Amino acid sequence: MRSSPGWRLPGFLPPSRFVPFSRRAVVGVFAFLIPAALHAQNGTVVGRVTDAATTSPIAAVQIVVEGTTLGGTSGTDGRYRLVNVPAGPHVLVARRIGYTALRQAVTVTANGEVTVNLAITQSAIALDQVVVTGTAGAQEKRAIGNAVATINAADELRKSGSTNITSLLNARAPGVTVRARSGRLGAGPAIEIRGRNSLSLENAPLIYVDGVRINNATSTGPQGVSGRLGGQGASVAGRLNDIDPNDIESIEVIKGPAAATIYGTEAANGVIQIITKRGGAGSQPQISLQTELGTMEFANAESRIPTNYYRVPASGEIVTWNGVKSEADSGRPLFRTGQVRRYQGSVSGSRDLLRYYASSTYENSLGIEPNNSIRQLTLRSNFDVQTRPSTNLATSFGYVTAANHLGADAGASPMLGATAGHGNVFPATRGFFATVPEVPQQLYDNADYIDRFTASTTLSNTPVSWFTHRVIAGIDYTGEDARGLERFAPPEIAKYLTPAAAAGSIGQTLRRNSIISGDWSGSANFNLTSALSSRTSVGGQYYRRASNTSFLGGLAFPAPGVETVSGATQAVASSQSEVTNTTIGAFGEQQFSWRSRLFLTGGLRVDNNSAFGKDFKWVTYPKVSGSWVIGEESFFPLKDVINTFRLRAAYGESGRQPAAFAALRTFSAATGPNGSAAVTPSSLGNPDLRPERGKEVELGFEAGLFQRLTVDFTYFNKRTLDQIVSQAVAPSSGFPGSQFRNLGQVNNHGIEMSSTYRVIARPGLNWEITGNLATNRDEIIDLGGIQNVVASPGFANIVGYPIGSVFTKRVVSADRDATTGFATNVLCDGGAGKAPMACAQAPFVYIGTPTPRTTGAISTTLNIGDRLRLYGLGDFRRGNLLWNANEQLRCTGGAGAQFCRASYYPLEFSPIYLAGIVPTAATQGLTQGYYQDASFFKLRELSATYTLPQSLVGARTSITVAGRNLWTSTKYNGLDPESNVNNAGSSTINQEQGVTPPLRQFSATINIVW
């Protein structure tokens, strides 16, 4: 591994170096490939795809000519058109998520046109569905021994009105937990699949778009000058929401090493593949326009931000104060009603050999505070060229430019100021803790300016009937200008600040991140006998990530309106870093199938990564899997009851590479004698450092019963070995700090289940209910002999317990003091096998985990006729704790006084509760009450869609009215059990303090298609 200047976008190269070459390349390729196709004596296949039960047209159905790369998708009217089909007999295959694949024979005549209409049947278990994630090329689900969760993004988006990928992914795949770090516009999501697996590395999965790896950062954005308020809580941006959900056709999720072996190092946390829309195979262009307008609000803010209590010393009177109500009564509402404003247009279709899709989306939305907004423009263009029956060239281009103003959570935010304030304690700031709301809302602008370009090219070729191969190359480039700004304060606000703070500051972080990826795979298919067939696949990948980050800043602007680093009167220390990480790998895979029912697959991946230690070179990851569609065997009983039944099993391994410089011995710049340049030891490094290694077993089945009920069940058991653990360095080494070593092991196991029940299925009325459920249990097995001691309450990694477990003194009994009403005679858990004891001598014991033990969701869709659709979604999480730091600040007096109700009305609460939350002489140091059960159920989405008669408006027009985050049922005492200021990356701390909760939204969307 070495630093490099990074890759530059073609647009940044001198024209003489790039443009002539690109023109020659493009012209040469098309000049060579297209003429042969144009002069071939071939024919055309046209038709319409409909639902076999309702006869309604179906869009986005993939129609391919079996044994070739010829294919396309149906438009919204269900029509398709395949050109350049060789004359002779063929088989058309029609596939769509949620439908059984249909094969239809057709005979094509030279220069002729044949019409083939296709009627496909609904089936929630589609074993013939083709997936591309985790496989060496596209394969039918029936042949894959691991679970692949597929989300029909286009359908889900039409039902739910989701505003971003975070909401589109959430609750729709069992075992996948998606949550925004904040409810603010622009907040980046944190994603975990099957819980937490690593002690020190990120637990986020890899993200791909159309086969190209993209930046999956979950915590980026502005950083203010150290020690200043402007940057606090601002680093919540993430790159996943740069992708417009309207451009997505489907999402495929594989959840661990058993499925991710061919991705090698970095894939142990799973892979999410986003597949964007392609042009339909119809001859006429299709134009779509969509407008979404809506509102967002902090629902019931006055009751959710707690009312605070204070006893006036002179009179003994208990005075209440609520920051939201106080500001509203004074004509200064703390929060406003935000606005959702999104406009999207697209055109798609085909022309001869070319299929195309182009779209543009503009969003200009406003959050609930004046310093939170999004202005974003997204462009996408996808092209498919069928250069000849054996060859297809597909390109995908995406561009995003955005100006996201994130505001600030925590720190001096109004959210925290209202939570931990009181008019009698902070009269100079109108009762708000730290400062008045105008300071953060008017002076602090934590802005994230983004320019992002993603491109991929896929060349698929079938030179002979038994061999097919493809090459995918692409880039994801992000240029980011993130600014943590404190503006120069006007006199009416400056009075609340020190002179230094009133003069303002700026911290500017410039990031350039690029990921270049290349992937080739080829598969040879042979029929060894009439029943036995073989598929041999080989492939190789190359990934290169380059990151260049610079920070510069300044203090004290001379006047209002000056907001640049060069305009500040005092410079702060600047910094710059460059990191390049490269992975190169190859794999081989062999699959045997018996009568297309029984499939056995074995494979091996070989990898190297530049972050490995210099004494550790290549790593190998094996896989083996089996799939048996036993329901198609002649001996299978009860076929009238069990319509579909498949058993599957898989074992696989993959890894997670160390941090970029963890293996290297490094030195820092220093000033030597007489001002000379010198270096000083910085990090000892570890030349033997290896990747963390995940080993996973998956067992499962899919079943369809009575043509109405489907069940998909998976059990997984995963071991993550060679956990990278930080260990103190001996002083004799001459290096400070710690060294990363492969010492630990973490185990995870659980189940995942999804089911769909079609309650009613007949023309004019269709009602189905879908649910999913997942469990997860993680346990630290080994820490390489590091001593297991809990010295203070809080989150800790201890052998025998989950990652980031909560340890504190647990109150088991308490009496009520007859005079004060507070807890007395308090006893705590004495530990395993020991009697309760005085809390001062009691040990810290395990009380829970920050990772949800159980997650799930239930949704229902009701279609009435061809025009009205009703939809609802609810999801839940159970079995996890969240540190309510708001409550701790209020009840312990950390904000200047004790504000919580229990401190003034103890008789309303049990003695055990009081012992864990209100500090007194008898309960000093107890914190149990602040780690609270964050289980919840949310009514996440409700929507209604009505399709207008086409004769009335001259186009296919639908109107959707939707609501999100409508209602929450929880025992948690804070703002919201989903709020979590530390849920990104590898952090084991789950904490809520001054974080904007998920906001309630209502929207109306009009979609018009010509």
Side-chain angles (χ1 to χ4, degrees):
M1 180 187 65
R2 59 186 177 87
S3 296
S4 77
W7 194 85
R8 294 291 195 272
L9 277 175
F12 292 94
L13 292 174
S16 60
R17 294 182 58 191
F18 175 73
V19 177
F21 166 77
S22 63
R23 288 176 179 169
R24 287 195 301 270
V26 172
V27 172
V29 169
F30 282 89
F32 174 77
L33 295 175
I34 292 180
L38 291 176
H39 289 89
Q41 296 299 305
N42 300 323
T44 301
V45 181
V46 300
R48 191 166 181 257
V49 187
T50 57
D51 186 298
T54 66
T55 71
S56 301
I58 305 177
V61 179
Q62 296 179 334
I63 304 102
V64 299
V65 180
E66 199 168 49
T68 75
T69 60
L70 289 167
T73 57
S74 60
T76 55
D77 58 358
R79 299 192 181 277
Y80 72 93
R81 182 182 183 88
L82 306 180
V83 300
N84 199 32
V85 182
H90 296 283
V91 174
L92 297 182
V93 183
R95 295 185 177 93
R96 192 184 192 279
I97 301 172
Y99 287 82
T100 300
L102 175 67
R103 285 174 165 80
Q104 179 70 49
V106 60
T107 299
V108 179
T109 58
N111 298 316
E113 182 176 285
V114 60
T115 300
V116 180
N117 294 321
L118 306 170
I120 59 178
T121 304
Q122 289 191 38
S123 173
I125 296 181
L127 298 182
D128 297 322
Q129 176 191 333
V130 172
V131 297
V132 298
T133 309
T135 65
Q139 277 193 284
E140 293 181 343
K141 264 191 174 183
R142 65 169 54 232
I144 302 171
N146 53 264
V148 181
T150 303
I151 300 171
N152 189 330
D155 277 0
E156 293 296 328
L157 190 63
R158 281 191 289 268
K159 289 190 293 187
S160 69
S162 298
T163 56
N164 50 44
I165 292 186
T166 303
S167 56
L168 186 61
L169 271 173
N170 186 54
R172 290 181 169 87
V176 180
T177 303
V178 184
R179 56 184 180 266
R181 190 175 178 182
S182 166
R184 291 176 175 270
L185 288 173
I191 303 175
E192 291 176 1
I193 298 179
R194 293 179 175 169
R196 300 182 183 188
N197 307 294
S198 179
L199 297 168
S200 61
L201 302 177
E202 282 206 18
N203 288 289
L206 297 180
I207 310 292
Y208 282 74
V209 173
D210 294 332
V212 171
R213 187 180 298 186
I214 67 167
N215 185 347
N216 65 338
T218 59
S219 183
T220 181
Q223 299 290 333
V225 175
S226 177
R228 302 298 292 266
L229 296 176
Q232 290 195 25
S235 302
V236 296
R239 298 281 61 85
L240 186 59
N241 283 340
D242 292 343
I243 303 169
D244 182 8
N246 289 288
D247 290 330
I248 301 174
E249 185 61 45
S250 64
I251 301 173
E252 295 177 358
V253 182
I254 57 176
K255 301 174 184 178
T261 296
I262 69 169
Y263 296 98
T265 300
E266 299 185 77
N269 296 322
V271 178
I272 296 176
Q273 177 94 242
I274 296 169
I275 301 165
T276 61
K277 294 178 180 178
R278 320 299 297 186
S283 59
Q284 297 298 320
Q286 175 182 290
I287 300 173
S288 173
L289 295 178
Q290 179 176 292
T291 298
E292 180 183 1
L293 300 175
T295 63
M296 65 182 68
E297 61 180 354
F298 183 0
N300 305 316
E302 184 177 325
S303 60
R304 292 170 65 187
I305 291 183
T307 294
N308 286 340
Y309 298 81
Y310 177 74
R311 190 188 305 275
V312 179
S315 64
E317 178 188 7
I318 299 175
V319 180
T320 63
W321 181 84
N322 183 284
V324 177
K325 185 177 187 301
S326 174
E327 291 296 286
D329 291 344
S330 301
R332 297 180 297 262
L334 192 58
F335 307 112
R336 67 185 183 186
T337 299
Q339 300 180 36
V340 177
R341 300 178 294 193
R342 189 176 294 108
Y343 314 94
Q344 196 259 357
S346 67
V347 58
S348 63
S350 65
R351 180 71 175 178
D352 297 328
L353 305 175
L354 175 69
R355 291 191 293 129
Y356 55 88
Y357 171 85
S359 74
S360 176
T361 299
Y362 176 69
E363 179 175 3
N364 187 4
S365 296
L366 305 176
I368 61 169
E369 294 187 64
N371 56 350
N372 181 212
S373 64
I374 285 180
R375 189 171 69 250
Q376 178 170 303
L377 175 66
T378 304
L379 303 173
R380 173 160 294 278
S381 61
N382 294 343
F383 298 97
D384 295 74
V385 180
Q386 191 71 46
T387 61
R388 56 184 65 186
S390 62
T391 306
N392 185 79
L393 179 67
T395 62
S396 178
F397 301 96
Y399 174 72
V400 177
T401 181
N404 298 332
H405 297 269
L406 304 171
D409 280 324
S413 72
M415 198 77 61
L416 184 61
T419 301
H422 196 287
N424 287 68
V425 179
F426 305 109
T429 55
R430 301 201 304 271
F432 285 84
F433 173 66
T435 189
V436 294
E438 296 94 294
V439 170
Q441 290 184 340
Q442 296 182 27
L443 299 187
Y444 297 165
D445 183 17
N446 293 299
D448 203 23
Y449 300 95
I450 298 295
D451 282 288
R452 184 174 186 179
F453 174 74
T454 305
S456 68
T457 298
T458 302
L459 182 63
S460 305
N461 178 246
T462 307
V464 291
S465 60
W466 53 268
F467 181 71
T468 182
H469 66 134
R470 72 178 186 193
V471 60
I472 304 174
I475 181 172
D476 180 43
Y477 175 88
T478 304
E480 182 179 7
D481 178 357
R483 306 179 188 184
L485 172 68
E486 297 178 0
R487 294 188 174 92
F488 186 95
E492 64 272 17
I493 298 180
K495 63 184 180 181
Y496 297 108
L497 302 169
T498 65
S505 70
I506 183 172
Q508 185 172 21
T509 306
L510 302 175
R511 299 183 181 95
R512 295 200 314 272
N513 293 283
S514 66
I515 302 178
I516 298 174
S517 56
D519 183 316
W520 175 85
S521 63
S523 298
N525 299 273
F526 300 99
N527 292 323
L528 304 179
T529 69
S530 60
L532 181 65
S533 61
S534 165
R535 175 186 170 105
T536 304
S537 303
V538 294
Q541 290 88 25
Y542 170 85
Y543 307 113
R544 179 179 180 271
R545 293 182 298 169
S547 174
N548 183 301
T549 303
S550 300
F551 177 84
L552 56 159
L555 298 170
F557 298 121
V562 181
E563 298 179 355
T564 63
V565 173
S566 61
T569 59
Q570 179 184 341
V572 300
S574 59
S575 62
Q576 184 177 16
S577 65
E578 289 193 359
V579 178
T580 300
N581 180 264
T582 302
T583 299
I584 185 169
F587 71 88
E589 186 177 276
Q590 177 62 51
Q591 182 179 92
F592 294 102
S593 66
W594 179 261
R595 299 188 186 278
S596 195
R597 296 171 189 162
L598 179 62
F599 303 84
L600 295 176
T601 305
L604 185 70
R605 164 86 183 209
V606 182
D607 243 10
N608 203 343
N609 183 277
S610 57
F612 296 168
K614 67 177 183 179
D615 293 338
F616 181 80
K617 301 299 181 183
W618 295 88
V619 60
T620 58
Y621 302 110
K623 67 171 287 186
V624 61
S625 69
S627 172
W628 187 13
V629 189
I630 190 173
E632 294 181 2
E633 299 288 359
S634 58
F635 60 78
F636 188 76
L638 303 174
K639 288 194 174 185
D640 292 338
V641 176
I642 305 176
N643 318 115
T644 305
F645 194 76
R646 177 172 80 115
L647 298 173
R648 49 181 168 77
Y651 170 82
E653 300 182 13
S654 61
R656 187 73 175 91
Q657 88 277 11
F661 294 109
L664 297 182
R665 179 168 297 185
T666 60
F667 297 84
S668 300
T671 302
N674 301 318
S676 62
V679 295
T680 186
S682 176
S683 173
L684 179 61
N686 181 359
D688 296 315
L689 197 62
R690 307 183 297 276
E692 295 186 349
R693 189 183 189 97
K695 301 182 177 183
E696 185 177 55
V697 173
E698 272 192 16
L699 303 172
F701 69 86
E702 290 127 69
L705 295 85
F706 307 106
Q707 298 289 350
R708 287 183 179 272
L709 177 65
T710 65
V711 178
D712 188 331
F713 176 87
T714 300
Y715 166 79
F716 69 91
N717 192 319
K718 177 180 178 180
R719 294 179 298 148
T720 304
L721 309 177
D722 293 333
Q723 286 275 344
I724 296 174
V725 177
S726 178
Q727 196 170 51
V729 173
S732 59
S733 69
F735 283 80
S738 58
Q739 179 189 46
F740 289 103
R741 300 181 62 190
N742 298 101
L743 298 176
Q745 177 180 338
V746 173
N747 288 0
N748 298 67
H749 70 274
I751 64 169
E752 296 162 352
M753 184 173 67
S754 60
S755 181
T756 297
Y757 179 56
R758 190 167 294 118
V759 184
I760 302 173
R762 63 171 183 259
L765 187 62
N766 189 298
W767 179 24
E768 69 178 28
I769 300 172
T770 298
N772 67 66
L773 176 73
T775 67
N776 178 72
R777 301 291 187 273
D778 65 288
E779 181 184 352
I780 300 173
I781 303 300
D782 187 16
L783 285 175
I786 294 178
Q787 189 176 10
N788 297 325
V789 176
V790 182
S792 61
F795 301 89
N797 291 326
I798 304 295
V799 171
Y801 296 93
I803 295 175
S805 291
V806 180
F807 286 83
T808 188
K809 297 183 178 184
R810 176 164 48 199
V811 178
V812 294
S813 67
D815 297 326
R816 190 185 300 278
D817 187 286
T819 303
T820 66
F822 293 109
T824 189
N825 301 325
V826 181
L827 295 178
C828 286
D829 191 331
K834 296 183 179 181
M837 61 179 64
C839 293
Q841 288 78 44
F844 297 102
V845 299
Y846 171 78
I847 64 169
T849 171
T851 304
R853 293 294 188 96
T854 307
T855 60
I858 184 169
S859 66
T860 183
T861 305
L862 176 64
N863 291 287
I864 303 174
D866 294 332
R867 305 206 179 279
L868 180 62
R869 179 177 59 220
L870 305 176
Y871 172 79
L873 170 68
D875 65 296
F876 65 89
R877 296 174 196 163
R878 296 184 60 82
N880 63 300
L881 298 180
L882 181 61
W883 178 16
N884 189 343
N886 288 324
E887 196 85 340
Q888 187 167 7
L889 188 65
R890 296 174 61 243
C891 294
T892 62
Q898 290 180 303
F899 294 139
C900 63
R901 185 174 179 86
S903 298
Y904 299 94
Y905 299 97
L907 297 181
E908 297 178 4
F909 304 90
S910 72
I912 290 180
Y913 175 84
L914 291 169
I917 205 166
V918 179
T920 65
T923 63
Q924 193 66 38
L926 298 181
T927 60
Q928 173 188 343
Y930 307 123
Y931 298 96
Q932 300 175 357
D933 183 358
S935 302
F936 68 81
F937 173 84
K938 281 183 179 282
L939 180 57
R940 187 71 67 177
E941 298 173 356
L942 286 178
S943 73
T945 301
Y946 184 75
T947 302
L948 300 176
Q950 188 168 345
S951 59
L952 181 65
V953 292
R956 291 183 295 278
T957 303
S958 64
I959 301 174
T960 298
V961 179
R964 291 188 55 80
N965 300 320
L966 299 174
W967 176 74
T968 302
S969 174
T970 183
K971 295 180 180 178
Y972 180 68
N973 291 332
L975 294 182
D976 193 278
E978 277 191 292
S979 297
N980 190 347
V981 74
N982 287 319
N983 67 4
S986 60
S987 172
T988 58
I989 300 175
N990 277 19
Q991 172 188 355
E992 188 223 344
Q993 187 172 66
V995 182
T996 303
L999 302 177
R1000 186 164 64 187
Q1001 298 182 20
F1002 296 99
S1003 65
T1005 303
I1006 301 176
N1007 189 59
I1008 305 174
V1009 180
W1010 289 273

